[in-house]
Amino acid sequence: MHSSQPLHFTAESTADGMTERDFTVGGVPGVLWSPASPATGTGRAPLVLMGHGGGAHKKHPSMAGRARLLTAGCGFHVAVLDAPGHGDRPRSAQDEADIAELRAAQAAGEPEGPVVVRYNARLAELAVPEWQAALDALQELPEIGADGPVGYFGIAMGTALGVPLVAAEPRITAAVFGLMWPDALVEQARRITVPVEFAMQWDDERIPREAALALFDAFASTEKTLHANAGKHFDFPRSEADSAARFLTRHLARTTTSPA
Amino acid sequence: MHSSQPLHFTAESTADGMTERDFTVGGVPGVLWSPASPATGTGRAPLVLMGHGGGAHKKHPSMAGRARLLTAGCGFHVAVLDAPGHGDRPRSAQDEADIAELRAAQAAGEPEGPVVVRYNARLAELAVPEWQAALDALQELPEIGADGPVGYFGIAMGTALGVPLVAAEPRITAAVFGLMWPDALVEQARRITVPVEFAMQWDDERIPREAALALFDAFASTEKTLHANAGKHFDFPRSEADSAARFLTRHLARTTTSPA
């Protein structure tokens, strides 16, 4: 496979057993975290693509924390892109308008779901081809390779962008999602058949319980698990990141390619 | 605390790092599994009470397998009693009548839920005081102790008997349940406030989805997690036993008493 948009590394550092490399692909900034000392020497390791939440960015502490579990704990590579209008990327006039509409709904105590769903669906149309180009380029790295296992892990906006990506991208063979309205995603979820772990908050004040259950129900995967935790939207427990790491290990490590 | 019904050990063997001791308390047969070499030397370890499923018994392979996870993996003691009319215990005329009614409903393709609910609720009334007497006696053992952490783990009939037990028994501070109709249990579940992990099958052909969700919803615990897996009733995945062991470790090991 030959990428039309090559990956350019722009910075590299190593700390606490994790190597961090900033990169761009087609102008989109991303970060690639890897184990500082790959367990398999010259061998390849699975790649996990992670989508960040709304208003966050590729190196948000929640991303770095999950990357540590997946690199140090599992020996995986982890890549995150800044979503359109997030992190180091400029906001368009439409981004500004969508965010203003969201803030207005929140300030007025009106349901934010319809605004988030429409805003994130627009971002997903931009982000899916960016992710596919980044995956093309990342798979040209010898430590990842074109035929290695690839997973996806994204909660909230990371699910709004990730469900369309996983539905479109047969190279992704396991995915962790959660905390999103189903409205724009049900049709794509029905086309996803790879193993899925889906997290929701049982007392979510933003996303109705039935809405979250409907999105989980929509996945066509024969192997799928719902984790519902007591608590409100932002009570989402850290233990779900540990669970996601175990889930991705179960589904990606068993198909790891041997060293060349 | 002094038990009115002492515990009598009737057999002991050790294999593969697990010591198995048969016992009786007040005529009820049980088994106590322990790590062959306690990690803490003369110290105490948490105790997990496990309830077996309908038609099974205290040493059913599912019990022995979960006990191995909890003893070898977590360093815990694990006790299982034969439920009334199960294992080494005689069936009463009422047991025979209830089981015949269940088989007739299954043969006729009629809903078995009402029969199971009524049958198991009757067993629970017998089993709860038996469990409480066994716990009294087990806590007199020096390797368990009267003030050590106690958990409960029971699926299906183990939930039908366990929810009333945990509701009645303040010594139990964490519980894993699943795969049961809510009808006889909702009121007791509403009195349970300790951390709960609850497992259901998303495509259960016996227990309607809404019924399982209603039982999870009823627990008053501020810390509770639902695990719903794709698949039918008997597709219940073995990975849930691993998850239960992690859950019980999180909630019991952190309160382990120091060696005397």
Side-chain angles (χ1 to χ4, degrees), chain B residues 172-195:
Chain B
I172 299 175
T173 56
V176 180
F177 297 125
L179 299 189
M180 185 45 58
W181 290 265
D183 306 59
L185 302 177
V186 163
E187 287 307 315
Q188 287 144 326
R190 288 194 178 124
R191 290 191 278 118
I192 291 177
T193 57
V194 299

Side-chain angles (χ1 to χ4, degrees), chain B residues 108-133:
Chain B
E110 292 168 1
E112 61 192 321
V115 184
V116 173
V117 165
R118 192 168 55 244
Y119 170 41
N120 285 6
R122 181 177 65 77
L123 296 189
E125 289 190 20
L126 302 171
V128 168
E130 293 172 356
W131 269 115
Q132 293 186 297

Side-chain angles (χ1 to χ4, degrees), chain A residues 171-192:
Chain A
R171 288 175 287 182
I172 300 174
T173 56
V176 180
F177 297 124
L179 298 188
M180 184 46 56
W181 291 265
D183 307 59
L185 302 176
V186 162
E187 288 307 315
Q188 287 144 326
R190 289 193 179 125
R191 291 193 277 118
I192 292 178

Side-chain angles (χ1 to χ4, degrees), chain A residues 44-77:
Chain A
R44 293 170 172 181
L47 171 66
V48 176
L49 311 177
M50 294 203 310
H52 63 73
H57 59 84
K58 63 185 179 301
K59 293 188 187 178
H60 188 276
S62 66
M63 296 293 101
R66 292 170 194 175
R68 182 165 300 284
L69 289 175
L70 292 166
T71 57
C74 310
F76 294 170
H77 302 281

